[in-house]
């Protein structure tokens, strides 16, 4: 049961974790304090507390920033910006993956921003390979730096990042909501370049509300939530549509279907998102709405990428209505096979929807009618005038039937959708937009200070708790499981005991930290393979 009491309990646990990090920082135990701060942020990210930012926790990171200089042994001085030299941009990420919209967005940024030179730093890549889509747009083998070498704790990584940062004109953070390395490095840095935080996780708690110079929002609902729940002043909120590489069709719909084994005469509906984005809606979910429509229209097939073939969506294959494909490294062929694209619900997946629209496919979404939870739904400037948006399952079903029964309507809306996306992403258009973001005046010094962050537990907080209740990091035990590779030996023993008490054996916790990280990455790879 998700209710106010659970949010209050989460808040109390979070406050305890923040207090622990504060005490450790004051005692000069810098690395344990950094780990404790990251644990607190991880917990708040995965367990909604009624707060989307924490000035108190960020003050701990500022204090830890002072511990970086002794690690460096001497102050770092920023390289002066040179005239007639291409601006240099340092992109900082936490982890990079072969799949998912977050890494794809960074890859698109690197590819499209040809006016600047780019370097990528990754704070916690582990044993994962850096995807080729990232390195393909960078020049030289030294354009990616991995900070988490064996034996390098969070403070050491922050020191390395600070040393690198002085060489750049702009710093763009694409980091996870719980990443403390970037903020420890940059919060104590004298005369630093302007720091832009990309708000790619606008719906959850994240670090940086009082530390970033400006926040780059990808949609209006994220900017509104910054003002209402993070206390971020208007002059620190920038808007930039997500970078998107326009791809012309490599396959016709018929050719794509042939490759995937889909009937060429079918009306094909496609959706693509992580599994959790389809779950935990109160009342009926997306699958509940779609099944009656599919059963009433034998010419229709539904294909979804993300959800497991053995999970709830298995019914598609069981009844001959389509297929759940699980995680795909590339959904391009599936999108090219689509006649209609339906967004995930209750949590939107904007990247896949934009890619579908680019292929002249009509796109649909089901939004909650309550504007207070708008950040969970689909809103993106490119599709404001062409997105078929409904506020109920019945409405979605009715609009879907209209599209199924009219190929002319599908053609008309698909062409309009493709044209709308191209207006924002045609050659040079996004490059011009990102240039305006980089060149805009910095926020006033008074704006970058500890904001007033109201805590409240409302419809958004409860909806988030439902969406995230089956994800990673749930409860303090789940958070410790996520944090295991960063924990010290004694803390790992305590975490192993807590997890064992919950029936979750984690023998990797008893291994040295680098081995534990490798074991965790190996298990993740094996799960994806199966």
């Amino acid at each position: 049961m998700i209710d106010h009491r659970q949010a209050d309990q989460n808040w109390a646990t979070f406050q305890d974790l923040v207090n622990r990090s504060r005490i450790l920082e004051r005692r000069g135990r810098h690395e344990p304090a950094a780990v404790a701060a990251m644990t607190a942020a991880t917990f708040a990210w995965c367990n909604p507390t009624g707060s989307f930012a924490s000035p108190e926790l960020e003050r701990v990171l500022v204090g830890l920033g002072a511990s970086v200089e002794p690690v460096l042994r001497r102050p770092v001085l920023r390289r002066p910006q040179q005239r007639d030299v291409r601006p240099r941009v340092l992109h900082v990420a936490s982890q990079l993956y072969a799949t998912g919209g977050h890494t794809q967005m960074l890859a698109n940024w690197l590819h499209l921003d040809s006016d600047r030179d780019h370097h990528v730093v990754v704070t916690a890549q582990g044993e994962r390979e850096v995807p080729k889509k990232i390195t393909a747009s960078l020049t030289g083998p030294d354009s990616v730096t991995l900070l988490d070498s064996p034996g390098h704790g969070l403070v050491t990584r922050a020191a390395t990042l600070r040393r690198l940062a002085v060489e750049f004109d702009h710093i763009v953070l694409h980091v996870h909501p719980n990443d403390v390395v970037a903020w420890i490095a940059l919060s104590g840095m004298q005369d630093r370049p302007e720091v832009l935080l990309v708000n790619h996780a606008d719906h959850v708690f994240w670090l940086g509300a009082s530390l970033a110079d400006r926040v780059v929002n990808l949609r209006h609902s994220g900017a509104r939530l910054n003002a209402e729940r993070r206390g971020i002043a208007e002059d620190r909120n920038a808007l930039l549509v997500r970078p998107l590489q326009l791809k012309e069709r490599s396959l016709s719909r018929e050719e794509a279907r042939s490759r995937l084994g889909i009937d060429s005469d079918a009306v094909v509906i496609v959706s693509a998102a992580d599994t959790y984005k389809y779950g935990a809606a109160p009342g009926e979910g997306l699958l509940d709405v779609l099944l009656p429509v599919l059963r009433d229209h034998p010419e229709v097939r539904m294909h979804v990428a993300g959800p497991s073939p053995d999970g709830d969506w298995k019914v598609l294959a069981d009844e001959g209505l389509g297929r759940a494909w699980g995680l795909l490294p590339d959904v391009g062929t599936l999108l090219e096979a689509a006649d209609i694209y339906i967004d995930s619900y209750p949590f939107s997946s904007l990247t896949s929807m934009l890619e579908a629209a680019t292929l002249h496919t009509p796109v649909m979404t089901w939004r909650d009618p309550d504007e207070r939870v708008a950040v969970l739904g689909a809103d993106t400037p490119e599709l404001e005038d062409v997105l078929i948006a409904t506020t109920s399952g019945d409405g979605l079903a009715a609009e879907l039937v209209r599209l199924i029964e009219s190929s002319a309507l599908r053609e008309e809306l698909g062409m309009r959708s493709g044209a709308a996306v191209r207006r924002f992403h045609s050659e040079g258009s996004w490059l011009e937009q990102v240039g305006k973001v980089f060149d805009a005046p910095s926020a006033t010094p008074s704006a970058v200070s500890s904001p007033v962050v109201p805590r409240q537990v409302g419809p958004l907080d409860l909806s988030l708790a439902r969406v995230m209740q089956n994800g990673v990091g749930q409860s303090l035990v789940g958070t410790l499981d996520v944090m295991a590779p960063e924990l010290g030996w004694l803390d790992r023993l305590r975490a192993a005991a807590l997890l064992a008490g919950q029936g979750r054996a984690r023998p990797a916790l008893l291994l040295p930290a680098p081995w534990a990280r490798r074991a965790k990455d190996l298990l993740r790879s094996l799960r994806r393979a199966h």
Side-chain angles (χ1 to χ4, degrees), residues 6 49 57 111 118 128 133 156 276-277 298-299 338 353 384 391 418 432 437 466 488:
Q6 184 60 57
T49 65
L57 184 56
H111 176 79
H118 303 275
R128 306 170 195 83
K133 59 187 173 186
T156 301
Y276 78 93
K277 294 187 176 182
E299 75 277 21
M353 187 168 64
E384 284 180 351
T391 56
E432 180 180 351
V437 171
R466 281 190 293 267

Side-chain angles (χ1 to χ4, degrees), residues 43-309:
F43 181 84
W45 171 18
C46 300
N47 301 271
T49 65
S51 181
F52 286 83
S54 174
E56 296 82 9
L57 184 56
E58 292 178 9
R59 282 194 287 271
V60 173
L61 302 182
V62 172
L64 288 170
S67 70
V68 170
E69 292 297 340
V71 175
L72 289 170
R73 292 187 173 85
R74 63 180 183 274
V76 292
L77 301 176
R78 183 181 172 192
R79 175 181 67 87
Q81 188 169 1
Q82 301 175 13
R83 293 183 178 180
D84 303 323
V85 175
R86 285 162 56 88
R88 302 189 69 208
V89 181
L90 180 65
H91 297 266
V92 185
S94 302
Q95 294 173 342
L96 299 171
Y97 310 102
T99 61
H102 179 205
T103 301
Q104 187 61 54
M105 182 170 64
L106 174 56
N108 291 346
W109 188 312
L110 298 173
H111 176 79
L112 294 171
D113 187 5
S114 56
D115 282 356
R116 281 157 278 271
D117 293 328
H118 303 275
H119 187 99
V120 174
V121 171
V122 193
T123 65
Q125 186 67 4
E127 298 298 311
R128 306 170 195 83
E129 289 188 14
V130 175
K132 291 182 179 178
K133 59 187 173 186
I134 295 294
T135 57
S137 298
L138 297 171
T139 57
D142 298 326
S143 295
V144 177
T145 300
L146 305 182
L147 298 182
D148 57 335
S149 302
H152 285 194
L154 299 175
V155 174
T156 301
R157 294 178 220 174
T160 304
L161 177 55
R162 185 179 295 184
R163 187 184 294 114
L164 280 169
V166 298
E167 297 294 325
F168 292 85
D169 305 306
H170 307 282
I171 300 175
V172 181
L173 303 184
H174 309 259
V175 292
H176 287 356
N178 65 336
D179 194 327
V180 300
V181 171
W183 298 119
I184 293 172
L186 300 173
S187 62
M189 184 176 172
Q190 297 294 323
D191 188 32
R192 73 183 187 189
E194 186 181 37
V195 176
L196 303 178
L197 173 63
V198 179
N199 191 11
H200 62 87
D202 53 13
H203 60 290
V204 294
F205 172 96
W206 43 251
L207 294 170
S210 67
L211 302 176
D213 294 306
R214 281 187 294 153
V215 179
V216 178
N217 300 286
L218 305 173
R219 53 196 186 132
H220 294 294
S221 60
R224 286 196 300 271
L225 191 68
N226 280 349
E228 295 168 1
R229 301 292 299 273
R230 296 188 177 100
I232 296 176
E234 182 178 352
D235 65 347
R236 293 179 58 216
N237 266 321
L239 184 67
L240 176 69
V241 297
R242 63 191 62 226
L244 188 68
Q245 293 186 53
L246 294 179
K247 297 179 181 178
E248 300 300 329
R249 281 188 171 273
S250 60
L251 301 170
S252 67
R253 283 191 173 91
E254 292 71 23
E255 290 169 334
R257 293 174 188 187
S258 176
R259 290 196 180 184
L260 297 170
I262 300 173
D263 188 345
S264 62
D265 295 330
V267 176
V268 179
I269 303 170
V270 167
S271 188
D274 285 336
T275 305
Y276 78 93
K277 294 187 176 182
Y278 295 96
E284 62 183 356
L286 183 60
L287 184 60
D288 301 316
V289 170
L290 295 178
L291 282 175
V293 176
L294 298 174
R295 290 166 178 155
D296 289 346
H297 293 81
E299 75 277 21
V300 176
R301 294 293 180 269
M302 176 80 200
H303 288 264
V304 57
S308 167

Side-chain angles (χ1 to χ4, degrees), residues 206-454:
W206 43 251
L207 294 170
S210 67
L211 302 176
D213 294 306
R214 281 187 294 153
V215 179
V216 178
N217 300 286
L218 305 173
R219 53 196 186 132
H220 294 294
S221 60
R224 286 196 300 271
L225 191 68
N226 280 349
E228 295 168 1
R229 301 292 299 273
R230 296 188 177 100
I232 296 176
E234 182 178 352
D235 65 347
R236 293 179 58 216
N237 266 321
L239 184 67
L240 176 69
V241 297
R242 63 191 62 226
L244 188 68
Q245 293 186 53
L246 294 179
K247 297 179 181 178
E248 300 300 329
R249 281 188 171 273
S250 60
L251 301 170
S252 67
R253 283 191 173 91
E254 292 71 23
E255 290 169 334
R257 293 174 188 187
S258 176
R259 290 196 180 184
L260 297 170
I262 300 173
D263 188 345
S264 62
D265 295 330
V267 176
V268 179
I269 303 170
V270 167
S271 188
D274 285 336
T275 305
Y276 78 93
K277 294 187 176 182
Y278 295 96
E284 62 183 356
L286 183 60
L287 184 60
D288 301 316
V289 170
L290 295 178
L291 282 175
V293 176
L294 298 174
R295 290 166 178 155
D296 289 346
H297 293 81
E299 75 277 21
V300 176
R301 294 293 180 269
M302 176 80 200
H303 288 264
V304 57
S308 167
D310 301 319
D312 293 342
W313 293 77
K314 181 175 179 289
V315 65
L316 296 178
D318 290 345
E319 297 188 21
L321 302 173
R323 177 179 173 183
W325 291 78
L327 284 174
L328 295 176
D330 184 0
V331 297
T333 303
L334 194 60
L335 294 179
E336 290 190 315
D339 291 298
I340 302 166
Y341 183 87
I342 295 182
D343 189 21
S344 51
Y345 177 85
F347 187 10
S348 176
S349 184
L350 290 170
T351 300
S352 297
M353 187 168 64
L354 284 167
E355 290 174 347
T358 301
L359 297 171
H360 301 290
T361 301
V363 289
M364 309 179 66
T365 192
W366 174 9
R367 294 174 179 158
D368 194 298
D370 190 337
E371 281 299 313
R372 291 172 294 179
V373 300
V375 76
L376 295 182
D379 73 283
T380 186
E382 302 99 315
L383 298 178
E384 284 180 351
D385 298 326
V386 296
L387 178 63
I388 301 173
T390 69
T391 56
S392 69
D394 289 343
L396 183 76
E399 291 293 338
L400 179 58
V401 169
R402 285 181 63 226
L403 287 177
I404 290 170
E405 295 179 350
S406 175
S407 60
L409 181 59
R410 295 198 300 271
E411 179 74 15
E412 176 198 345
L413 288 175
M415 294 302 293
R416 288 175 54 201
S417 298
V421 174
R422 279 168 167 75
R423 279 197 295 273
F424 283 84
H425 296 280
S426 59
E427 184 175 355
S429 177
W430 188 86
L431 181 60
E432 180 180 351
Q433 294 174 59
V434 76
K436 290 179 180 177
V437 171
F438 280 129
D439 295 339
S442 299
T444 58
S446 61
V448 187
S449 59
S450 293
V452 176
V453 180

